[in-house]
Amino acid sequence: MKVTAVFDIGRTNKKYVLFNEKYDIVHEFSEYLPETVDEDGFPTEDCELLTKWVQDRWAELLADPRYDIKAVNVAGYGASLVHLDHANRPLTPLYSYLKPFPEELSRQFYSTYGDPTRISLQTGSPSMGMLNSGMQLYWLKHTRPEIYAQIATTLHLPQYILYLLTGRKVSDYTSLGCHTALWSFEMWDYHEWVKQEGIHKKLAPVLASSSFIYRHGDKGIQSGFGLHDSSSALIPYRMAVKKPFVLLSTGTWCINFNSFASKPLTSYQLERDCMNYLTPEGSGVTASRLFLGREHDYQVARIVEYFKVEPDFYKKVAFDEAVLEAETPKFYTACMTGNGPFPQPNTQEWQISAFKSAEAAYHHLLKGLTELLFVSLDLVNVNDVHAIYIDGGFARNEIFTRLIARHYPNHKVYVSDLPYATSLGAALHVTRPQTYEFANEIREIKP
């Protein structure tokens, strides 16, 4: 069977997915790999274990007589770097983007390169410490110069996995353009601070094409250059939908993508958790973020405790218009300090005791969350498009999707059932079909 193989590297699970020529999944393999700690004792990905896992799975796939691998690509999480020495061995742990960034070093950086807001606007990257992967290189250069001096090539994680598969070292736009603080959306090049530090010399070259031919013995396999997972998940929609749209990628974070609004950010957007991404071709994508899933889970736990109901009760709650119209206390968030459209610290607590039932409280939790989401969507110019697609866990939540459809009566609102959108995007990008259409994965939501 002719297949496209995609290695999809998440924070929690590592997997590969095989697609046939119709982009149906014919096989997948997923595994959890335990974490390790870096030299400071901070939890992080086990780079050695991940390296062996990728190499072993790839060798098994190439040797499997059931499959004829015609193409391969990678999708992986961002803000993570692998630093290779001249023998192509990793020099450091795969530092976690959650690792705290030293305050003294941050002050040094901005005293050298100027106003944090200006740099964030130019790079489309809110100042987020190690989540700005460029700052990881700055940190390494100034705290461990003896290690930094040994770096021959630095690769973002998706491109490191690609290197393990094909031996090719490249950089790609989606990894460079996802809140890295590396890329200037004004100059469409590395930012000036990157050049002054010489950090760009450590990064592998960015190539203009979308694929190359990897030689495995006598066999030629078409290979992509690896993709940042969020940008990869956007690809099926960009290929199948011809008119401008906004995609809500929901989960722990809700990230709202408008790939038809590529202007540099304004200060107003930046202060409300907006950022820029790059498509694989290097064009801009405006996005806003909301800690939607984390807030949802926190408040659901409070409802469960107060009303003594089952932890998953909310999965059975049906949409009820009358419940939504009842007078209720104002919704206050608990998990959104420093993020989302209202990042100011919140000292008030949402009063669950004011509700008569868990079902009523849950309706108003979703009402409160979607009202925040509407502000976040306005930040990415949702009214400039005519369609909204909802992807991920909240696409299966009737109250959530109905509230969105009701708020945007002039938009077409769709939910999608693309559980492998990230893997599918990587497969589509490397094989480049002339057309791609959704089968039965898309359903319209009426108000």
Side-chain angles (χ1 to χ4, degrees), residues 235-245 260 387 389 436 438:
I235 290 171
Y237 297 91
R238 283 174 57 88
M239 292 190 72
V241 182
K242 304 308 178 190
K243 294 182 179 179
F245 64 90
F260 304 89
Y389 288 82
Y436 172 73
F438 294 126

Side-chain angles (χ1 to χ4, degrees), residues 391-412:
D391 179 277
F394 282 88
R396 296 184 285 277
N397 189 307
E398 182 195 12
I399 302 172
F400 180 83
T401 56
R402 290 275 296 274
L403 285 170
I404 292 173
R406 190 170 69 170
H407 187 78
Y408 294 106
N410 297 323
H411 288 67
K412 294 278 191 181

Side-chain angles (χ1 to χ4, degrees), residues 10 137 340 369 389:
L137 268 166
L369 289 175
Y389 288 82

Side-chain angles (χ1 to χ4, degrees), residues 161-192:
I161 303 302
L162 182 86
Y163 164 71
L164 295 177
L165 301 176
T166 68
R168 190 79 177 264
K169 289 184 281 190
V170 299
S171 293
D172 103 296
Y173 285 118
T174 66
S175 290
L176 291 174
C178 67
H179 54 76
T180 63
L182 288 166
W183 193 258
S184 170
F185 284 80
E186 289 182 342
M187 304 304 295
W188 233 253
D189 194 0
Y190 288 116
H191 192 274
E192 195 57 40

Side-chain angles (χ1 to χ4, degrees), residues 299-317 352 356-362:
Q299 301 293 359
V300 164
R302 291 184 65 216
I303 295 171
V304 166
E305 183 179 0
Y306 184 83
F307 289 101
K308 308 301 180 189
V309 292
E310 292 294 318
D312 64 346
F313 82 95
Y314 64 91
K315 295 179 180 178
K316 306 179 186 73
V317 178
I352 292 173
K356 293 180 179 179
S357 67
E359 289 74 18
Y362 188 69

